[in-house]
Amino acid sequence: MPKGQMPKADFALKTSDGAEAARLLVLTGDWTATGLRDVAERLKKALTRAQDVQVDVADIGRFDTAGAYALKYALGDRASPEIFAGHENYRRIYELIDGISPEVQTQISESGRSASPLVNFLSGIGQKTLSFLDDARRFTRFLGETVTFIFLTILNPGRIRWTPLVAQMQRTGLEALIVVGVANFFVGAVVAFLGILQLKQFGVSVFAVELIGIAVLREFGPVIAAVLMAGRSASSFTAEVGAMKMNQEIDAMRVMGINPFDALVLPRLFAMIITMPLATFFGMMAGLFGGFIVVWTTLGYGPNFFIQRMTDYVPFVNYFVGLIKVPFFAAAIALIGCRMGMEVKEDVISLGKQVTSSVVQAIFAIITIDAIFAIMFNGFDF
């Protein structure tokens, strides 16, 4: 062996005279991620007909969780923490993965045999599909529980927890007005700039007012407000509920007879549904104001002209179409944020993943809902 090179993981089987089954398995070398090679596959094949195997780990050099997974994979039911009697450090490492059943497709050995790219591609599609279906099942269950508790709350309004509801209304609604207003102001200004730039080519730049009104009231106002609320509130809900899940506060609530849906989910859901129309209206007005500023400074049309043009040529139905979507946006944001918080495991990495996933799913849900309403209103000729 070259100087400085560590011994690779290996094993030896010692059998009784005339016996087919292996009686003693001696493990040698470094059972680590860099030392395994194909030892797990070879050991599994060697133990195919072996019975009553005793394991000797005295000659193991180094040992980590990769080696523990390899042993679990090769030994199967024969593997247990007892085989590390007298080696406390090895036993503790093995207990980290004991009880975890590795997936069939997981390759813990470095046998050098890899599936073809086509098989890997199809396998990835299958895994993503199963993950999506499982996620849809959990969301459906969560949604069903939420609807049940909403129905119970309607029958018994005394279940409403007013203090957290009001606190969430302030945090999700009132404190979001500034960011929603500023964002919509600039969106309205950008729409006005682009509209005027294009309409000037045809000598009808005056129609920029109608473009601003319809675009802001019907689409940009509600969608921009919803996306900002998704990034702001969905992540907040996931982080708050997830932190409580990590600290076992939700389990403590259940022990005390407090239902987490009553105390955590419904106040956030109701707060979003109540306050988001206000934030959206504020954003709409800010967007119109941004467009008006651009029209005034670029075309010279004053406030009276802008207001008169909006009143005469922008139907009120556009305002209705914009606001009718908002409660659905709010419900999607709150439900996704709370559900992803409930999905957090007992580690910080899981919390970070769920926070990211909640924002992505909320924005995707907003775009999907907006598209559904656009198709529906187009069918109604609105």
Side-chain angles (χ1 to χ4, degrees):
M1 180 184 301
K3 183 178 180 181
Q5 182 176 345
M6 296 298 181
K8 300 294 185 180
D10 207 345
F11 64 91
L13 287 174
K14 298 180 180 180
T15 58
S16 301
D17 295 338
E20 294 183 357
R23 299 301 181 188
L24 180 64
L25 171 63
V26 180
L27 304 179
T28 59
D30 290 339
W31 285 71
T32 61
T34 58
L36 292 177
R37 297 178 298 176
D38 62 342
V39 67
E41 290 288 347
R42 292 192 291 110
L43 179 57
K44 187 175 181 67
K45 292 180 180 179
L47 295 177
T48 302
R49 303 177 59 187
Q51 303 291 334
D52 301 326
V53 177
Q54 296 181 359
V55 184
D56 182 2
V57 298
D59 294 330
I60 289 182
R62 293 184 299 174
F63 190 67
D64 63 9
T65 53
Y69 271 114
L71 279 179
K72 184 175 180 62
Y73 171 76
L75 297 178
D77 295 337
R78 306 181 186 92
S80 67
E82 285 71 21
I83 66 176
F84 299 100
H87 301 272
E88 185 66 19
N89 292 335
Y90 295 167
R91 184 183 65 81
R92 290 179 178 178
I93 293 174
Y94 185 81
E95 286 179 346
L96 292 175
I97 61 96
D98 190 28
I100 301 176
S101 298
E103 298 294 333
V104 175
Q105 70 272 15
T106 303
Q107 296 295 328
I108 56 176
S109 64
E110 300 178 7
S111 60
R113 298 176 300 172
S114 59
S116 66
L118 178 60
V119 173
N120 289 334
F121 175 73
L122 296 177
S123 175
I125 293 177
Q127 293 177 27
K128 294 295 183 182
T129 302
L130 291 176
S131 177
F132 173 78
L133 293 176
D134 184 61
D135 190 66
R137 177 186 60 82
R138 295 198 302 270
F139 179 76
T140 303
R141 179 180 177 181
F142 181 86
L143 181 61
E145 290 183 288
T146 304
V147 172
T148 300
F149 282 100
I150 291 175
F151 181 73
L152 294 176
T153 302
I154 294 174
L155 295 179
N156 181 17
R159 297 169 60 98
I160 299 177
R161 297 177 177 270
W162 294 103
T163 300
L165 174 60
V166 174
Q168 291 298 329
M169 288 175 61
Q170 178 180 351
R171 294 181 56 191
T172 61
L174 297 180
E175 295 180 4
L177 291 179
I178 300 300
V179 64
V180 171
V182 172
N184 274 281
F185 174 86
F186 287 111
V187 168
V190 170
V191 171
F193 271 123
L194 295 177
I196 293 172
L197 182 64
Q198 296 301 315
L199 293 174
K200 267 186 176 181
Q201 302 177 24
F202 306 99
V204 290
S205 55
V206 68
F207 289 114
V209 177
E210 287 88 328
L211 174 63
I212 296 167
I214 294 174
V216 171
L217 293 178
R218 193 179 185 106
E219 288 295 331
F220 287 110
V223 173
I224 295 299
V227 169
L228 291 174
M229 297 290 273
R232 189 178 184 277
S233 298
S235 59
S236 174
F237 293 167
T238 302
E240 293 168 359
V241 177
M244 297 180 69
K245 179 85 177 293
M246 289 174 55
N247 295 329
Q248 299 181 342
E249 295 178 45
I250 295 179
D251 294 333
M253 292 171 63
R254 289 194 175 100
V255 171
M256 293 186 294
I258 301 174
N259 193 289
F261 280 85
D262 283 335
L264 301 177
V265 178
L266 295 189
R268 287 169 170 80
L269 175 61
F270 293 155
M272 284 295 296
I273 293 175
I274 293 171
T275 59
M276 194 164 169
L278 172 63
T280 302
F281 175 79
F282 187 78
M284 288 177 175
M285 297 302 104
L288 293 178
F289 183 69
F292 158 69
I293 294 297
V294 172
V295 169
W296 194 5
T297 56
T298 305
L299 301 178
Y301 299 142
N304 293 333
F305 178 85
F306 188 90
I307 295 173
Q308 186 65 39
R309 194 85 184 178
M310 284 285 298
T311 305
D312 294 341
Y313 297 102
V314 179
F316 182 77
V317 70
N318 292 287
Y319 177 77
F320 166 78
V321 170
L323 278 186
I324 198 66
K325 299 179 287 188
V326 173
F328 295 91
F329 291 160
I333 293 170
L335 290 175
I336 291 173
C338 293
R339 186 187 78 87
M340 300 309 291
M342 293 289 189
E343 295 287 328
V344 172
K345 309 300 180 183
E346 295 182 357
D347 58 88
V348 178
I349 296 177
S350 174
L351 178 62
K353 288 181 178 179
Q354 298 299 346
V355 169
T356 303
S357 181
S358 69
V359 175
V360 174
Q361 290 188 23
I363 294 175
F364 180 80
I366 290 166
I367 296 173
T368 303
I369 293 171
D370 184 65
I372 292 173
F373 273 97
I375 296 172
M376 183 177 66
F377 286 127
N378 182 64
F380 292 154
D381 199 24
F382 281 172

